[in-house]
Amino acid sequence: MSKKHPIISVTGSSGAGTSTVKGTFDQIFRREGVKAVSIEGDAFHRYNRLEMKAELERRTAEGDHTFSHFSYEANALDELERVFREYGETGKGRTRHYVHDDIEAEKFGVAPGNFTDWAPFDDDSDVLFYEGLHGAVVNDEVNLPALADLKIGVVPVINLEWIQKIHRDKTHRGYSTEAVTDVILRRMHDYVHCITPQFTETDINFQRVPIVDTSNPFIARWIPTADESLVVIRFKNPRGIDFGYLTRMIQGSWMSRANSIVIPGGKMDLAMQLIFTPMIERLVSVSKRA
């Protein structure tokens, strides 16, 4: 961790809502006058779309039915660790963009399924913000949590996650339910071994829990709304957290454990604003003094 160049890492499984969290942080950064550089987990995929398809086919032919974007091997985690370390030491680094669709292709001038060129960060930033699948990985090759100052996990319960993925992939990518199901099955090994272990490394976790029936996610017609959900917020170290203030400010919230608070799903943005604004102020204040 670096006092002078702090790093915030948001890790969530696919469809968990990390992009929504990024929007909340962008609001805080703008309101508090914090200059942040943002990097996306997609930028550190090891393969472009065609290369990933070929690698997937090769591994499947060899009997490996678990390879996916969740896999460590599908991502350049050594490069991500290098970026974290360089930023923490110097405030510099580089990133790129993975172009998902025609809209992004027009913006970046690169065909969908490919990466832009690597480009250096803007100078004089206050904080580095990461959002992706692997921001808190610890394995034999990398230790990303050791390099980040604030680590946040965002994850729905698994049936809700599957509903969100099925609806997103069918609506925006034209996949059939059967095709999305195949992807879910292929990802399960790495979901267990690569994704969920990260949430024991995070400082704060947000877990969305539906309060409507999601017992068969493969036939669900709608994604449960925020008002049909609760959010469990768990603090790894609750020391210094004013739970009384949070429960007073967030109507309908309560403490479920000594380190956890439950809030209505529609209050998640408010909760993040209340929790993270003073944390970001403190990180930036310490970095400027350093």
Side-chain angles (χ1 to χ4, degrees):
M1 294 186 290
S2 168
K3 289 185 177 180
K4 192 169 185 180
H5 305 291
I7 297 171
I8 299 172
S9 173
V10 177
T11 300
S13 47
S14 185
T18 51
S19 56
T20 303
V21 175
K22 183 182 184 304
T24 299
F25 271 89
D26 286 343
Q27 291 179 46
I28 297 173
F29 293 148
R30 182 169 56 252
R31 187 180 64 240
E32 302 300 323
V34 174
K35 183 177 180 182
V37 290
S38 297
I39 58 176
E40 302 161 350
D42 291 351
F44 298 88
H45 286 335
R46 194 174 297 278
Y47 308 105
N48 66 21
R49 189 172 294 166
L50 290 177
E51 292 169 343
M52 184 66 179
K53 184 174 184 292
E55 182 67 12
L56 180 60
E57 290 173 351
R58 183 185 71 80
R59 288 175 178 259
T60 301
E62 293 177 352
D64 179 0
H65 298 283
T66 66
F67 185 69
S68 72
H69 278 122
F70 284 10
S71 307
Y72 294 148
E73 299 86 350
N75 296 275
L77 298 182
D78 54 342
E79 178 64 29
L80 179 58
E81 184 180 54
R82 187 178 301 114
V83 170
F84 274 24
R85 178 172 287 108
E86 182 180 358
Y87 186 85
E89 293 173 352
T90 68
K92 300 183 182 298
R94 66 174 190 168
T95 193
R96 61 183 178 178
H97 294 280
Y98 179 80
V99 178
H100 294 88
D101 50 37
D102 291 334
I103 295 174
E104 292 184 358
E106 185 174 345
K107 176 180 178 181
F108 293 110
V110 174
N114 291 282
F115 299 100
T116 63
D117 292 334
W118 291 99
F121 295 157
D122 292 339
D123 293 332
D124 302 323
S125 63
D126 297 312
V127 64
L128 173 64
F129 181 87
Y130 166 91
E131 174 257 312
L133 289 169
H134 298 98
V137 167
V138 178
N139 60 22
D140 293 339
E141 284 75 41
V142 300
N143 185 346
L144 295 171
L147 300 172
D149 300 84
L150 177 58
K151 301 169 286 290
I152 302 155
V154 183
V155 58
V157 295
I158 195 163
N159 277 20
L160 175 57
E161 179 172 343
W162 289 350
I163 291 172
Q164 291 178 159
K165 178 163 181 58
I166 290 166
H167 278 252
R168 184 187 65 179
D169 285 5
K170 288 175 67 176
T171 302
H172 299 293
R173 299 178 181 177
Y175 293 175
S176 66
T177 300
E178 292 74 16
V180 186
T181 303
D182 287 342
V183 173
I184 289 171
L185 290 171
R186 191 172 70 244
R187 286 179 167 182
M188 282 308 299
H189 178 273
D190 287 326
Y191 186 86
V192 171
H193 293 92
C194 301
I195 302 298
T196 57
Q198 296 181 75
F199 301 120
T200 62
E201 304 291 338
T202 45
D203 300 308
I204 306 172
N205 283 337
F206 291 78
Q207 185 172 37
R208 185 176 163 210
V209 182
I211 53 174
V212 294
D213 182 22
T214 60
S215 53
N216 187 348
F218 302 100
I219 63 167
R221 295 182 179 180
W222 299 281
I223 300 172
T225 65
D227 289 337
E228 296 172 328
S229 307
L230 298 172
V231 176
V232 180
I233 307 172
R234 187 274 291 173
F235 297 85
K236 188 173 186 177
N237 180 6
R239 185 184 299 276
I241 302 299
D242 190 342
F243 287 101
Y245 170 75
L246 292 175
T247 54
R248 287 194 303 272
M249 293 296 292
I250 304 171
Q251 187 175 7
S253 64
W254 73 93
M255 289 185 67
S256 58
R257 285 186 175 177
N259 66 343
S260 301
I261 182 174
V262 182
I263 66 169
K267 301 292 187 180
M268 184 166 163
D269 179 77
L270 172 61
M272 288 187 168
Q273 299 272 355
L274 294 172
I275 293 166
F276 292 128
T277 298
M279 291 183 176
I280 291 169
E281 288 177 343
R282 188 159 54 247
L283 284 175
V284 173
S285 175
V286 170
S287 73
K288 289 183 176 179
R289 289 201 303 269

